[in-house]
Amino acid sequence: MNTETALKEAMTTIEGTIGVALVDYTSGMALGTLGGGKDLDLTVAAAGNTDVVRAKVRTMEMLGLKDEIEDILITLSGQYHLIRMLKGRGKSGLFLYLALDKNRANLAMARHQLKRVEAELEI
């Protein structure tokens, strides 16, 4: 599926989704967004979460860790923010960002479904 279809799939099939974005963490730019709103500016979130990803990658390099990041979870009092690093040809340097309403979302199921969206995404 293409970017637009993948974002729609995440937005409609993952319970509790507030917004979703495909982000290039080399530039910090959102390549596509869906959802969000006045309380969640996905463009700002894309840029800010790029800093989170870069910091984690830098820390792993300093520690000499040769592992790969699957996802990063940020838990707020009312939301989950999930960053899923994309793997595969043409996907390097990209991540999916998903914001969830903590009261409506099932975190384990959201991670599973976001992984499925990633697998079907064609860049």
Side-chain angles (χ1 to χ4, degrees), residues 52 85 91 104 106:
V52 171
M85 305 302 293
K91 297 180 182 177
R104 295 185 0 225
N106 176 322

Side-chain angles (χ1 to χ4, degrees), residues 56-110:
K56 188 60 188 170
V57 168
R58 198 170 41 253
T59 301
M60 289 176 62
E61 288 171 356
M62 290 187 298
L63 292 171
L65 298 176
K66 303 295 182 209
D67 217 345
E68 293 182 347
I69 300 169
E70 282 187 23
D71 55 39
I72 298 169
L73 172 64
I74 300 166
T75 306
L76 306 177
S77 60
Q79 296 177 357
Y80 294 123
H81 291 222
L82 188 59
I83 299 167
R84 173 96 190 155
M85 305 302 293
L86 300 187
K87 295 174 185 60
R89 198 183 67 185
K91 297 180 182 177
S92 181
L94 301 177
F95 65 86
L96 282 167
Y97 166 70
L98 184 68
L100 300 162
D101 179 323
K102 200 172 184 180
N103 294 320
R104 295 185 0 225
N106 176 322
L107 183 57
M109 186 59 81

Side-chain angles (χ1 to χ4, degrees), residues 4-60:
E4 183 180 340
T5 305
L7 296 178
K8 284 180 185 174
E9 178 80 7
M11 194 75 192
T12 58
T13 63
I14 301 175
E15 186 71 28
T17 299
I18 300 167
V20 61
L22 177 64
V23 183
D24 175 356
Y25 75 80
T26 55
S27 69
M29 300 296 292
L31 304 178
T33 64
L34 192 59
K38 64 178 177 71
D39 295 330
L40 180 63
D41 183 329
L42 289 170
T43 304
V44 172
N49 284 305
T50 295
D51 292 337
V52 171
V53 170
R54 288 178 184 160
K56 188 60 188 170
V57 168
R58 198 170 41 253
T59 301
M60 289 176 62

